[in-house]
Amino acid sequence: MGEVYVYHDLFGYILQMSPDLLEFLSAFGTGARVEDVCKEYANAFGENTPESFVGTFIQFGCLITPGYDQLKDIWDMIPVKSRWNVWVRGDDGNVTLYTAWGDRAGQAHALSAEETKIWDAINGEMGLETLAEWFGKDAVGALVKRLVHHDVQALKLSALAMSYYKSRQHMRPPYITSTMPYAPYEAGAPIPPGPDALFSTDGYYEHEVEDADAQFDHEETTLSHLLRRPHVALHGKTYGAALIEGLGKRFELGTGPFKVLEIGGGLGWVAKAVTEALQALGGPVTYHILELSPALARAQRENTKGLPVTVFEGDALKADFPGDDYDLVISNEMVGDLTAVKVTHEQLGMGGEQGIDDAKFDAGLEAMGEAGALVKKHNVPIGDAPDPFFLNVGAWRLVERIWDALRPGGLAIVTEFGEVGRYPILSSQLDHPELSTHFGHLTIVAMSVGFKPKFEYIIDMVSLDRDKKGLATTRSYFRALTQALADKGVTLEKIGYTEEMFSELIGAAGLVANENLGSIEFDRIEDRLMGLVPHEFKALLLAKPLPTLEA
Ligand SMILES: C[S@@+](CC[C@H](N)C(=O)[O-])C[C@H]1O[C@@H](n2cnc3c(N)ncnc32)[C@H](O)[C@@H]1O
């Protein structure tokens, strides 16, 4: 996403960099003089002198005297096991660590019996000095070098014991629990495009999705994908079925016939479940999907075979909708993919001492083109915006289009991750930038269009059982765990495993969480399920009123 970090292979420090700072660090090579390099970069960092960065680089072991053996510096440190380690303990008692950082191939790192003893002794409290007394300096030093290295990232070195941070979590340096799953970057190489270049994500789906299943299993996972099969946390229902049940509790759905449009259908599992749930209510169902990605459209056709589902290919913001007079329009976890614009205070004459400069504001909106026109048309309040800020204009336009597609009395549901009062923030979990949705703005646009909007938490809509615990993963951790389990003949799927489901899965191979397979974390399902945070997902329910007598 255009950010650059340095990972220290011996301590595990993570330093956020800018590309020019990294170039400066790299200029030291294997033995340049500090004075010479600083002279060369004298005016490179605005108000900061290059010398001020040298101090930080020395402090974090990124600059050393030529020939100095940095291993000398580790013995006062305390080794700490990283978060998101995947390990398996074999029948011989030896531990194998598994890694699959970012897009790098999965690797197994087998520890010998001696190394396993050192690994087992590491508890985040004891210093390396003590471990060296027990196991020998050479063995401990070699293991630290191997396991802290960015290929493994199983250990970090800390100046303080973990017990110190027990009641001071906020003081714990972030590198201890963070990982670096990103692609390698060499100083001076072209900078990967930052998110700004990608704000219009038009085209991402159209061109880049090649393997539809892999898209949802690895690149991005939606809540509906994790809950696509009947799930205990949904009282035995699928996500799609639970959504219809939730709508039925809030609105009179009747018994059909039902004419439905889904915008952006993923693999088609929502379409399948919703169609079946509506059929169960009585009437015949006509279900249209409008989908941008040809690969996903193919998957949708395949996965809804035999059902009254027709898939149309096109862009939800540009193509004609395949029909009109819909009873129900569904846009599930897709508006985050639509165009957003980035705006600065400067552009709109905001943030000055006298508040907003009205003339500048109007001229700024004018210059913004369609986005500015929409702010004006729907009176979207942006006086409280941070600088810079984003506007989900694609989602606004979609809401306008949905109004035209619905019959009077019809209903739409738009879900996405976001908050009522929070300006869109960038999620960097995925392989493409995705912004959260400002539901307050979306609600205002919906009201301005004529809807009666209702804001809901998805977990309430689908009656998620909040007492259940779910498996917590990150993308790299999930890949590493998949490999560890595959070596044991177990297939890990991208579904929302509860504690019980996961125990049953691994139990078949004689594995017990955190006994001979680790580290396994379970979290309250509303706070985390696999890599998602379910309580961040919201829904806007949009009812299109029936015409009144006066109208
Ligand atoms: C994150 S997925 C969600 C899929 C599905 N609704 C679900 O809940 O699993 C976003 C979906 O919207 C589609 N999509 C993205 N932009 C689109 C656009 N402009 N027009 C139509 N579909 C789009 C994607 O191809 C994908 O199927």
Side-chain angles (χ1 to χ4, degrees):
M1 300 265 170
E3 283 178 4
V4 179
Y5 296 86
V6 160
Y7 182 91
H8 197 296
D9 276 340
L10 189 56
F11 292 89
Y13 297 138
I14 296 171
L15 273 77
Q16 189 168 8
M17 293 275 158
S18 51
D20 57 343
L21 209 51
L22 186 66
E23 224 177 288
F24 171 64
L25 176 61
S26 304
F28 287 87
T30 50
R33 292 173 57 81
V34 174
E35 298 79 37
D36 296 343
V37 181
C38 286
K39 207 161 146 195
E40 198 185 323
Y41 284 81
N43 301 314
F45 307 114
E47 289 182 358
N48 296 311
T49 60
E51 284 82 359
S52 61
F53 295 112
V54 169
T56 308
F57 286 143
I58 291 174
Q59 185 191 348
F60 288 99
C62 299
L63 284 179
I64 51 170
T65 319
Y68 181 78
D69 180 5
Q70 232 177 343
L71 258 187
K72 282 190 202 152
D73 296 341
I74 70 170
W75 302 106
D76 285 342
M77 306 290 281
I78 294 160
V80 179
K81 288 178 182 163
S82 307
R83 204 179 166 197
W84 307 119
N85 278 336
V86 174
W87 52 264
V88 173
R89 193 180 293 275
D91 295 335
D92 56 3
N94 291 355
V95 161
T96 300
L97 291 153
Y98 287 83
T99 56
W101 295 115
D103 292 330
R104 281 172 263 165
Q107 280 186 305
H109 312 269
L111 304 191
S112 65
E114 189 62 16
E115 288 168 333
T116 298
K117 275 191 203 146
I118 303 175
W119 172 258
D120 285 341
I122 292 172
N123 59 5
E125 297 298 316
M126 207 163 12
L128 285 171
E129 197 100 76
T130 313
L131 288 173
E133 280 168 23
W134 295 352
F135 302 105
K137 241 181 171 166
D138 288 350
V140 173
L143 192 67
V144 166
K145 253 172 120 167
R146 184 174 161 211
L147 298 190
V148 176
H149 192 275
H150 68 270
D151 279 343
V152 186
Q153 302 186 40
L155 277 186
K156 298 287 169 75
L157 301 190
S158 168
L160 297 172
M162 289 305 100
S163 52
Y164 176 81
Y165 299 114
K166 258 234 150 83
S167 52
R168 305 177 182 92
Q169 297 281 348
H170 59 287
M171 286 175 69
R172 189 173 52 201
Y175 77 89
I176 291 183
T177 45
S178 302
T179 54
M180 277 287 113
Y182 307 118
Y185 171 77
E186 291 297 332
I191 303 167
D196 285 17
L198 298 161
F199 266 123
S200 167
T201 47
D202 292 356
Y204 171 76
Y205 279 101
E206 210 165 351
H207 307 298
E208 292 190 24
V209 178
E210 280 158 17
D211 177 341
D213 285 296
Q215 173 71 12
F216 281 83
D217 276 356
H218 301 295
E219 309 305 343
E220 67 172 323
T221 301
T222 58
L223 197 55
S224 74
H225 187 67
L226 294 182
L227 302 170
R228 65 194 178 279
R229 305 223 188 103
H231 199 281
V232 281
L234 297 179
H235 315 282
K237 294 198 174 52
T238 60
Y239 176 91
L243 202 62
I244 292 302
E245 188 183 68
L247 275 181
K249 283 183 189 156
R250 290 159 177 81
F251 299 91
E252 194 58 59
L253 292 183
T255 52
F258 299 104
K259 188 175 172 190
V260 185
L261 171 66
E262 183 181 353
I263 299 164
L267 292 175
W269 301 125
V270 171
K272 181 174 190 291
V274 167
T275 303
E276 288 169 350
L278 290 176
Q279 284 174 331
L281 290 181
V285 177
T286 306
Y287 199 105
H288 293 162
I289 301 179
L290 180 59
E291 171 58 52
L292 183 64
S293 153
L296 291 175
R298 275 194 297 281
Q300 290 156 17
R301 290 186 189 108
E302 183 62 32
N303 294 333
T304 57
K305 248 188 201 151
L307 291 170
V309 176
T310 316
V311 182
F312 298 85
E313 290 179 39
D315 184 335
L317 294 183
K318 295 180 191 142
D320 287 339
F321 281 174
D324 52 18
D325 275 340
Y326 289 102
D327 302 294
L328 178 63
V329 174
I330 299 173
S331 156
N332 195 68
E333 295 173 65
M334 75 78 62
V335 292
D337 294 321
L338 299 177
T339 321
V341 295
K342 184 178 183 179
V343 191
T344 61
H345 281 191
E346 168 81 32
Q347 256 175 292
L348 292 178
M350 296 165 71
E353 283 188 1
Q354 265 81 51
I356 295 178
D357 176 331
D358 288 338
K360 264 193 174 171
F361 188 77
D362 284 343
L365 285 185
E366 189 83 25
M368 273 165 60
E370 192 189 7
L374 287 174
V375 170
K376 228 170 161 165
K377 177 173 164 195
H378 298 300
N379 255 321
V380 181
I382 53 176
D384 61 342
D387 189 23
F389 62 101
F390 300 100
L391 297 173
N392 310 107
V393 286
W396 302 353
R397 286 205 316 252
L398 190 68
V399 165
E400 291 185 332
R401 300 200 80 194
I402 290 174
W403 173 267
D404 295 331
L406 280 173
R407 69 162 171 82
L411 193 62
I413 174 162
V414 177
T415 85
E416 195 43 279
F417 83 101
E419 302 290 344
V420 184
R422 187 180 69 192
Y423 278 76
I425 54 162
L426 196 68
S427 154
S428 55
Q429 308 291 319
L430 316 168
D431 71 336
H432 67 288
E434 193 170 313
L435 285 169
S436 65
T437 296
H438 188 311
F439 274 95
H441 285 172
L442 200 61
T443 304
I444 282 166
V445 171
M447 279 165 44
S448 154
V449 167
F451 282 117
K452 282 197 183 142
K454 192 169 176 342
F455 173 81
E456 290 270 2
Y457 276 61
I458 283 289
I459 52 179
D460 292 336
M461 276 299 293
V462 298
S463 303
L464 189 85
D465 181 347
R466 290 157 185 253
D467 294 329
K468 286 264 175 293
K469 283 193 159 185
L471 182 67
T473 60
T474 66
R475 191 170 165 236
S476 297
Y477 171 91
F478 179 79
R479 290 182 60 226
L481 187 62
T482 302
Q483 188 183 340
L485 288 177
D487 282 359
K488 293 278 179 188
V490 176
T491 306
L492 185 71
E493 294 181 277
K494 205 51 170 292
I495 52 176
Y497 288 100
T498 59
E499 212 167 353
E500 298 77 17
M501 286 160 72
F502 189 71
S503 300
E504 196 183 317
L505 178 82
I506 60 172
L511 294 168
V512 179
N514 298 323
E515 280 185 22
N516 52 6
L517 170 74
S519 298
I520 307 297
E521 280 186 37
F522 295 102
D523 211 336
R524 274 166 59 88
I525 207 164
E526 64 175 302
D527 292 331
R528 180 128 187 173
L529 184 58
M530 310 298 273
L532 299 181
V533 181
H535 71 240
E536 284 196 340
F537 288 82
K538 312 289 173 5
L540 204 58
L541 309 178
L542 304 172
K544 181 167 177 174
L546 289 164
T548 55
L549 272 183
E550 299 91 287

